[in-house]
Amino acid sequence: MLKNENIAYSCETLNGKILLENSKLPLRAMSDLATKMNDIRQIGTFNGIPVYWGEAKFLDDSDVFYSLRELLNIDSGLFNLVGRAIQLSHMLYQQHFCGRCGHEAILCEDQLAMQCQTCKAIDYPRVSPCIIVAVRKGEKILLAQHPRHKTGMYTVIAGFVETGETLEQCVAREVLEETGITVTNIQYFASQPWAFPSNLMMGFTADYASGDIKPDYEELTDAIWADTDHLPQLPPQGTIARRLIDHTLSFSSSPCND
């Protein structure tokens, strides 16, 4: 049925969640997209197939919307596009009123941004830069547990970049504030768009310099040095946190580092 028509991935969003069919992003006939979603916009392509985003027009009894975290195991390229759809949905609600004059703003006709209907000012989706860092100490990695992690998961240190601060300064500050540790040899690793709701995670590695672990209990419930033989529950695959942890532990156990 779909094979004789042009098809597209459908990123149908509602209240910050996305519609999945059989636990997968729907493939729809191009002719059906407008009947399912409001004001559809192409947000990219995946494997040569266009990816469209729009808000749900109506709900069928069978429609179930899921959080983005439930898509962590899909291809990273498609995950990033789905994340973009979630962030654009967030923009519709968070930037619905103009920050200059306070009047209503709507989605622009020719770009992915909001335009005030009174003063015509244009506001683009807001992205918050964050750092996330794996700190090495010999064969061990610094891991922390946050109050929000009810399952007991431990992860690496992360935090928002402050105004006037470089990424490297943010890395050093966040580690020191949350754990009492100072670091050196801060190196860029990779980045990941992180639509929870609109962050850009910029990953780093760093080496331990000095200090004893003294967790900031307003931010953390615990902080530890862990090695490959004694690991707590870790973040899921597909997250940059897990990539940093796997990379750091693999690097630390490499024969060239003995």
Side-chain angles (χ1 to χ4, degrees), residues 65-151:
F65 287 77
Y66 296 85
S67 71
L68 186 58
R69 291 186 186 276
E70 295 173 88
L71 289 174
L72 280 170
N73 61 344
I74 67 173
D75 182 279
S76 61
L78 186 56
F79 178 83
N80 289 344
L81 285 169
V82 176
R84 189 178 190 193
I86 294 293
Q87 290 182 68
L88 291 169
S89 177
H90 183 72
M91 175 189 72
L92 286 181
Y93 293 97
Q94 293 298 313
Q95 298 171 235
H96 182 62
F97 293 98
C98 178
R100 293 166 178 79
C101 71
H103 288 89
E104 182 184 16
I106 65 172
L107 189 64
C108 287
E109 293 184 0
D110 58 351
Q111 54 186 317
L112 294 172
M114 301 296 285
Q115 185 167 33
C116 178
Q117 295 303 284
T118 300
C119 71
K120 304 304 179 183
I122 294 176
D123 282 317
Y124 294 92
R126 295 166 187 162
V127 178
S128 300
C130 303
I131 63 86
I132 183 166
V133 55
V135 180
R136 301 175 292 230
K137 182 181 181 183
E139 301 295 313
K140 297 183 178 182
I141 184 172
L142 181 64
L143 297 176
Q145 186 182 66
H146 295 265
R148 67 179 180 276
H149 294 152
K150 304 303 182 183
T151 62

Side-chain angles (χ1 to χ4, degrees), residues 148-198:
R148 67 179 180 276
H149 294 152
K150 304 303 182 183
T151 62
M153 184 184 78
Y154 281 71
T155 187
V156 287
I157 299 297
F160 288 97
V161 181
E162 294 186 351
T163 304
E165 186 175 53
T166 68
L167 298 177
E168 292 81 4
Q169 287 171 338
C170 183
V171 167
R173 176 183 57 76
E174 285 290 344
V175 175
L176 181 61
E177 287 181 354
E178 294 195 8
T179 68
I181 299 297
T182 63
V183 295
T184 187
N185 192 29
I186 299 169
Q187 301 289 328
Y188 177 75
F189 175 74
S191 63
Q192 182 179 35
W194 196 241
F196 298 103
S198 54

Side-chain angles (χ1 to χ4, degrees), residues 35-85:
T35 65
K36 290 290 293 181
M37 300 189 292
N38 281 321
D39 201 3
I40 61 172
R41 304 293 180 93
Q42 184 172 353
I43 56 174
T45 60
F46 179 70
N47 289 340
I49 299 174
V51 180
Y52 284 85
W53 157 72
E55 292 290 283
K57 277 186 178 180
F58 55 85
L59 296 179
D60 295 328
D61 290 340
S62 60
D63 286 345
V64 181
F65 287 77
Y66 296 85
S67 71
L68 186 58
R69 291 186 186 276
E70 295 173 88
L71 289 174
L72 280 170
N73 61 344
I74 67 173
D75 182 279
S76 61
L78 186 56
F79 178 83
N80 289 344
L81 285 169
V82 176
R84 189 178 190 193

